[in-house]
Amino acid sequence: MKKKPLIAGNWKMYKTASEAVALVQTIKAATHTISDVTIVVCPPFTALGKVSELLADCRIELGAQNMYSAPEGAFTGEISPTMLKDVGCRYVILGHSERRQYFREDDILIHEKVKTALKYSLVPIVCVGETLAERESRTHFDVVKTQFDESLGRLEKDDIAKVVIAYEPVWAIGTGKTATPDQAEQMHSYIRRLISERYGQEIGTKIPLLYGGSVKPDNTRSLMEKPNIDGALVGGASLKAESFAQIIQEAQAAREAGVKS
Ligand code: 13P
Protein backbone atom coordinates (compact mmCIF):
# COMPACT_ATOMS: atom_id res chain seq x y z
CA MET A 1 0.00 0.00 0.00
CA LYS A 2 1.52 3.30 -1.12
CA LYS A 3 1.79 6.19 1.28
CA LYS A 4 0.06 9.54 1.09
CA PRO A 5 2.51 11.64 -0.97
CA LEU A 6 4.51 14.35 0.78
CA ILE A 7 5.43 17.41 -1.28
CA ALA A 8 7.75 19.88 0.44
CA GLY A 9 8.83 23.26 -0.92
CA ASN A 10 12.34 24.36 0.02
CA TRP A 11 12.38 28.09 -0.59
CA LYS A 12 16.13 28.33 0.12
CA MET A 13 17.36 31.94 0.53
CA TYR A 14 14.46 33.46 -1.39
CA LYS A 15 11.54 35.63 -0.24
CA THR A 16 11.41 38.37 2.34
CA ALA A 17 8.74 38.00 5.01
CA SER A 18 6.23 40.08 3.02
CA GLU A 19 6.99 38.20 -0.21
CA ALA A 20 6.56 34.95 1.70
CA VAL A 21 3.14 36.04 2.93
CA ALA A 22 2.02 36.79 -0.62
CA LEU A 23 3.35 33.44 -1.88
CA VAL A 24 1.77 31.37 0.86
CA GLN A 25 -1.58 33.09 0.37
CA THR A 26 -1.61 32.06 -3.29
CA ILE A 27 -0.42 28.54 -2.45
CA LYS A 28 -3.27 28.23 0.06
CA ALA A 29 -5.83 29.38 -2.50
CA ALA A 30 -4.46 27.04 -5.17
CA THR A 31 -4.36 23.93 -2.97
CA HIS A 32 -7.36 24.21 -0.67
CA THR A 33 -9.19 21.33 -2.36
CA ILE A 34 -6.27 18.92 -2.02
CA SER A 35 -6.59 16.42 0.81
CA ASP A 36 -4.59 13.42 -0.33
CA VAL A 37 -1.17 15.05 -0.24
CA THR A 38 0.84 16.25 2.75
CA ILE A 39 2.05 19.73 1.80
CA VAL A 40 4.98 21.37 3.57
CA VAL A 41 6.49 24.81 2.97
CA CYS A 42 9.97 25.67 4.25
CA PRO A 43 10.48 29.44 4.07
CA PRO A 44 13.59 31.22 5.39
CA PHE A 45 13.77 31.73 9.17
CA THR A 46 12.74 35.39 9.02
CA ALA A 47 9.42 34.51 7.37
CA LEU A 48 8.45 31.54 9.58
CA GLY A 49 6.42 33.55 12.09
CA LYS A 50 4.23 35.32 9.54
CA VAL A 51 3.77 32.23 7.38
CA SER A 52 2.85 30.21 10.47
CA GLU A 53 0.00 32.59 11.29
CA LEU A 54 -1.38 32.18 7.78
CA LEU A 55 -1.22 28.40 7.96
CA ALA A 56 -3.23 28.18 11.19
CA ASP A 57 -6.51 27.54 9.35
CA CYS A 58 -5.31 25.12 6.68
CA ARG A 59 -3.64 21.74 6.22
CA ILE A 60 -0.32 23.04 4.91
CA GLU A 61 2.51 22.26 7.32
CA LEU A 62 5.48 24.43 8.18
CA GLY A 63 9.13 23.41 8.01
CA ALA A 64 12.50 25.09 8.52
CA GLN A 65 15.56 24.66 6.31
CA ASN A 66 18.13 24.05 9.03
CA MET A 67 18.69 24.20 12.77
CA TYR A 68 21.50 23.78 15.27
CA SER A 69 22.09 20.63 17.27
CA ALA A 70 21.80 22.21 20.73
CA PRO A 71 18.50 23.23 22.37
CA GLU A 72 19.91 26.61 23.44
CA GLY A 73 23.20 28.25 24.31
CA ALA A 74 25.92 30.62 23.24
CA PHE A 75 25.86 29.81 19.52
CA THR A 76 25.72 33.19 17.80
CA GLY A 77 23.65 33.16 14.65
CA GLU A 78 22.13 29.72 15.15
CA ILE A 79 18.49 28.65 15.55
CA SER A 80 17.35 26.01 18.03
CA PRO A 81 14.68 23.29 17.79
CA THR A 82 12.66 24.92 20.56
CA MET A 83 12.59 28.18 18.58
CA LEU A 84 11.32 26.29 15.54
CA LYS A 85 8.65 24.50 17.56
CA ASP A 86 7.61 27.75 19.17
CA VAL A 87 6.99 29.36 15.79
CA GLY A 88 4.90 26.41 14.57
CA CYS A 89 7.32 24.21 12.64
CA ARG A 90 6.67 20.50 12.39
CA TYR A 91 9.47 19.66 9.92
CA VAL A 92 13.10 20.63 9.51
CA ILE A 93 15.34 19.96 6.50
CA LEU A 94 18.75 18.68 7.64
CA GLY A 95 21.94 17.91 5.75
CA HIS A 96 20.91 19.59 2.50
CA SER A 97 23.76 19.37 -0.02
CA GLU A 98 24.06 23.17 0.01
CA ARG A 99 24.69 22.99 3.78
CA ARG A 100 27.24 20.24 3.21
CA GLN A 101 28.93 22.06 0.33
CA TYR A 102 28.97 25.73 1.41
CA PHE A 103 28.85 25.42 5.20
CA ARG A 104 31.02 22.33 5.65
CA GLU A 105 28.37 20.28 7.39
CA ASP A 106 29.40 16.66 7.74
CA ASP A 107 27.52 13.51 8.60
CA ILE A 108 28.61 13.65 12.25
CA LEU A 109 27.06 17.09 12.74
CA ILE A 110 23.99 16.07 10.74
CA HIS A 111 23.57 13.02 12.97
CA GLU A 112 23.65 15.29 16.05
CA LYS A 113 21.08 17.59 14.47
CA VAL A 114 18.80 14.67 13.60
CA LYS A 115 18.93 13.38 17.18
CA THR A 116 18.13 16.83 18.57
CA ALA A 117 15.29 17.40 16.12
CA LEU A 118 13.70 14.09 17.14
CA LYS A 119 14.15 14.83 20.82
CA TYR A 120 12.14 18.02 20.33
CA SER A 121 9.48 16.31 18.19
CA LEU A 122 10.44 17.87 14.89
CA VAL A 123 10.32 15.63 11.82
CA PRO A 124 13.74 15.75 10.15
CA ILE A 125 13.84 15.62 6.36
CA VAL A 126 17.37 14.30 5.97
CA CYS A 127 19.01 14.84 2.59
CA VAL A 128 21.46 12.46 0.93
CA GLY A 129 22.82 12.38 -2.60
CA GLU A 130 25.93 12.13 -4.73
CA THR A 131 27.79 14.69 -6.86
CA LEU A 132 28.22 14.33 -10.62
CA ALA A 133 31.83 13.20 -10.20
CA GLU A 134 30.72 10.52 -7.75
CA ARG A 135 28.04 9.27 -10.13
CA GLU A 136 30.45 9.29 -13.07
CA SER A 137 32.96 7.29 -11.08
CA ARG A 138 30.13 4.92 -10.16
CA THR A 139 30.54 5.43 -6.42
CA HIS A 140 27.05 6.90 -5.93
CA PHE A 141 25.66 3.92 -4.04
CA ASP A 142 28.68 3.86 -1.71
CA VAL A 143 28.40 7.63 -1.12
CA VAL A 144 24.73 7.41 -0.21
CA LYS A 145 25.38 4.35 1.97
CA THR A 146 28.04 6.27 3.94
CA GLN A 147 25.73 9.28 4.32
CA PHE A 148 22.97 6.97 5.54
CA ASP A 149 25.21 5.00 7.91
CA GLU A 150 26.81 8.07 9.45
CA SER A 151 23.90 10.47 9.66
CA LEU A 152 21.08 7.99 10.39
CA GLY A 153 22.39 4.45 10.89
CA ARG A 154 23.10 4.85 14.60
CA LEU A 155 19.60 5.96 15.55
CA GLU A 156 17.38 3.74 17.66
CA LYS A 157 14.52 1.96 15.91
CA ASP A 158 11.86 4.21 17.43
CA ASP A 159 13.71 7.28 16.21
CA ILE A 160 14.48 6.25 12.65
CA ALA A 161 10.79 5.42 12.21
CA LYS A 162 9.99 9.15 12.53
CA VAL A 163 12.45 10.37 9.88
CA VAL A 164 11.83 11.41 6.26
CA ILE A 165 14.72 10.87 3.83
CA ALA A 166 15.20 12.95 0.67
CA TYR A 167 17.40 11.65 -2.14
CA GLU A 168 18.76 14.72 -3.90
CA PRO A 169 21.48 14.01 -6.44
CA VAL A 170 23.62 17.16 -6.34
CA TRP A 171 23.96 17.23 -10.14
CA ALA A 172 20.18 17.53 -10.48
CA ILE A 173 19.71 20.45 -8.07
CA GLY A 174 18.90 23.74 -9.77
CA THR A 175 20.36 22.46 -13.04
CA GLY A 176 17.19 21.50 -14.88
CA LYS A 177 18.64 17.98 -15.15
CA THR A 178 16.35 15.58 -13.32
CA ALA A 179 17.38 12.07 -12.49
CA THR A 180 15.28 9.85 -14.72
CA PRO A 181 12.47 8.11 -12.86
CA ASP A 182 14.44 4.86 -13.24
CA GLN A 183 17.64 6.38 -11.81
CA ALA A 184 15.72 7.85 -8.89
CA GLU A 185 13.80 4.62 -8.27
CA GLN A 186 17.01 2.61 -8.33
CA MET A 187 18.51 4.75 -5.56
CA HIS A 188 15.27 4.88 -3.59
CA SER A 189 14.94 1.11 -3.57
CA TYR A 190 18.60 0.88 -2.54
CA ILE A 191 17.99 3.29 0.39
CA ARG A 192 14.92 1.30 1.41
CA ARG A 193 17.03 -1.85 1.39
CA LEU A 194 19.65 -0.15 3.59
CA ILE A 195 16.95 0.80 6.10
CA SER A 196 15.39 -2.69 6.03
CA GLU A 197 18.74 -4.41 6.51
CA ARG A 198 19.54 -2.26 9.50
CA TYR A 199 16.10 -1.81 11.08
CA GLY A 200 13.84 -4.48 9.60
CA GLN A 201 11.34 -4.61 6.77
CA GLU A 202 8.49 -2.88 8.59
CA ILE A 203 10.47 0.30 9.18
CA GLY A 204 12.10 0.06 5.78
CA THR A 205 8.70 0.06 4.13
CA LYS A 206 7.30 2.81 6.32
CA ILE A 207 9.85 5.61 5.97
CA PRO A 208 8.86 8.20 3.34
CA LEU A 209 11.51 8.67 0.65
CA LEU A 210 11.34 11.95 -1.25
CA TYR A 211 13.10 12.75 -4.50
CA GLY A 212 14.60 16.22 -5.02
CA GLY A 213 16.38 17.82 -7.97
CA SER A 214 14.67 19.85 -10.69
CA VAL A 215 11.20 18.53 -9.90
CA LYS A 216 8.72 20.34 -12.14
CA PRO A 217 5.01 19.89 -12.92
CA ASP A 218 5.80 17.94 -16.09
CA ASN A 219 8.10 15.37 -14.50
CA THR A 220 6.28 14.89 -11.19
CA ARG A 221 3.86 12.23 -12.37
CA SER A 222 6.46 9.87 -13.84
CA LEU A 223 8.57 10.16 -10.69
CA MET A 224 5.61 9.67 -8.35
CA GLU A 225 4.50 6.57 -10.23
CA LYS A 226 7.61 4.72 -9.09
CA PRO A 227 6.95 2.34 -6.21
CA ASN A 228 9.64 3.70 -3.88
CA ILE A 229 9.16 7.43 -4.50
CA ASP A 230 6.81 8.80 -1.86
CA GLY A 231 7.04 12.50 -2.57
CA ALA A 232 9.27 15.37 -3.60
CA LEU A 233 11.47 18.08 -2.13
CA VAL A 234 11.03 20.95 -4.55
CA GLY A 235 13.32 23.97 -4.85
CA GLY A 236 12.86 26.43 -7.72
CA ALA A 237 9.37 25.27 -8.72
CA SER A 238 8.10 25.84 -5.16
CA LEU A 239 8.74 29.58 -5.44
CA LYS A 240 5.76 30.08 -7.74
CA ALA A 241 2.35 29.14 -6.39
CA GLU A 242 1.20 27.95 -9.80
CA SER A 243 3.99 25.44 -10.41
CA PHE A 244 4.03 24.26 -6.79
CA ALA A 245 0.27 23.70 -6.88
CA GLN A 246 0.58 21.84 -10.19
CA ILE A 247 3.20 19.52 -8.69
CA ILE A 248 0.87 18.82 -5.77
CA GLN A 249 -2.02 18.16 -8.15
CA GLU A 250 0.14 15.77 -10.19
CA ALA A 251 1.04 13.91 -7.00
CA GLN A 252 -2.62 13.66 -6.07
CA ALA A 253 -3.57 12.55 -9.58
CA ALA A 254 -0.95 9.81 -9.48
CA ARG A 255 -2.42 8.57 -6.23
CA GLU A 256 -6.01 8.80 -7.44
CA ALA A 257 -5.17 6.95 -10.63
CA GLY A 258 -4.59 3.97 -8.44
CA VAL A 259 -0.89 3.95 -9.05
CA LYS A 260 -0.52 4.84 -5.41
CA SER A 261 -3.10 2.47 -4.03
P1 13P B 1 15.57 22.46 -7.43
O1 13P B 1 14.16 21.90 -7.42
O2 13P B 1 15.62 23.94 -7.66
O3 13P B 1 16.46 21.68 -8.33
O4 13P B 1 16.13 22.26 -5.93
C1 13P B 1 16.05 21.03 -5.34
C2 13P B 1 16.41 21.16 -3.90
O5 13P B 1 17.57 21.41 -3.57
C3 13P B 1 15.35 21.00 -2.91
O6 13P B 1 15.87 20.90 -1.62
Side-chain angles (χ1 to χ4, degrees), residues 10 12 96 168 172-174 213-215 233-236:
N10 174 9
K12 308 195 179 185
H96 192 281
E168 297 208 315
I173 295 177
S214 297
V215 173
L233 183 54
V234 187

Side-chain angles (χ1 to χ4, degrees), residues 8-12 93 96-98 127 166 168 172-177 211-216 233-238:
N10 174 9
W11 295 6
K12 308 195 179 185
I93 300 171
H96 192 281
S97 65
E98 287 149 15
C127 304
E168 297 208 315
I173 295 177
T175 57
K177 265 195 224 164
Y211 168 79
S214 297
V215 173
K216 304 276 182 274
L233 183 54
V234 187
S238 73

Side-chain angles (χ1 to χ4, degrees), residues 115-185:
K115 279 197 302 188
T116 308
L118 290 166
K119 189 167 169 201
Y120 289 88
S121 306
L122 286 159
V123 178
I125 301 177
V126 183
C127 304
V128 297
E130 80 286 357
T131 62
L132 184 60
E134 289 161 345
R135 178 160 280 264
E136 283 175 345
S137 62
R138 299 206 176 85
T139 54
H140 45 297
F141 290 112
D142 293 341
V143 167
V144 169
K145 180 177 188 318
T146 302
Q147 290 171 338
F148 171 80
D149 287 346
E150 310 262 301
S151 63
L152 293 166
R154 280 172 286 132
L155 291 179
E156 297 297 326
K157 236 178 167 175
D158 287 352
D159 277 341
I160 191 94
K162 296 174 193 145
V163 165
V164 175
I165 300 176
Y167 169 56
E168 297 208 315
V170 179
W171 48 272
I173 295 177
T175 57
K177 265 195 224 164
T178 334
T180 64
D182 285 341
Q183 283 173 322
E185 170 62 18

Side-chain angles (χ1 to χ4, degrees), residues 7 9 11 23-32 34 37-42 51-52 54-63 88 90-91 244 248:
I7 305 291
W11 295 6
L23 176 56
V24 89
Q25 275 166 338
T26 36
I27 291 175
K28 264 175 84 170
T31 59
H32 73 279
I34 308 263
V37 179
T38 301
I39 306 169
V40 183
V41 291
C42 304
V51 169
S52 182
L54 285 167
L55 297 184
D57 63 351
C58 72
R59 274 189 297 259
I60 302 173
E61 305 261 15
L62 188 63
R90 182 166 147 70
Y91 292 84
F244 191 52
I248 293 160

